[in-house]
């Protein structure tokens, strides 16, 4: 029988992933805020947050793909 595979998801990796994504959101929000074409602070916060949320989602997907590829390459060397 095949040996059971180790699951890559744990509480520690989840917290690390969420912290990195929150940091990326903060950086993206800081960068995008000045590019919102409005003078209304509420609209700047809304559209800056929505744009940063989309960008943080793409960051999260890219981070997950990077982790999967790294684990695959590490395991294929064995």
């Amino acid at each position: 029988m095949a040996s059971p595979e180790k699951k890559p998801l744990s509480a520690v990796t989840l917290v690390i992933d969420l912290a990195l994504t929150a940091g990326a959101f903060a950086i993206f929000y800081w960068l995008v805020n000045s590019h919102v074409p409005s003078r209304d602070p509420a609209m700047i916060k809304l559209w800056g947050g929505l744009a940063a949320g989309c960008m943080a989602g793409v960051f999260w997907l890219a981070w997950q793909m990077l982790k999967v590829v790294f684990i695959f390459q590490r395991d294929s060397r064995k």
Side-chain angles (χ1 to χ4, degrees):
M1 295 193 62
S3 62
E5 294 184 24
K6 181 183 171 190
K7 294 198 176 200
L9 181 65
S10 70
V12 175
T13 58
L14 183 63
V15 169
I16 291 171
D17 291 348
L18 289 175
L20 286 173
T21 305
F25 176 84
I27 291 170
F28 293 144
Y29 182 76
W30 178 71
L31 289 172
V32 169
N33 242 2
S34 63
H35 296 285
V36 175
S38 177
R39 294 184 194 268
D40 184 15
M43 287 293 116
I44 292 173
K45 288 178 185 176
L46 173 70
W47 292 108
L50 289 172
C54 292
M55 295 169 81
V58 171
F59 172 82
W60 181 81
L61 286 171
W63 178 247
Q64 298 305 313
M65 289 189 295
L66 181 72
K67 287 186 346 182
V68 168
V69 169
F70 175 74
I71 290 170
F72 175 77
Q73 285 183 345
R74 184 188 62 197
D75 291 344
S76 66
R77 288 187 203 155
K78 294 179 182 178

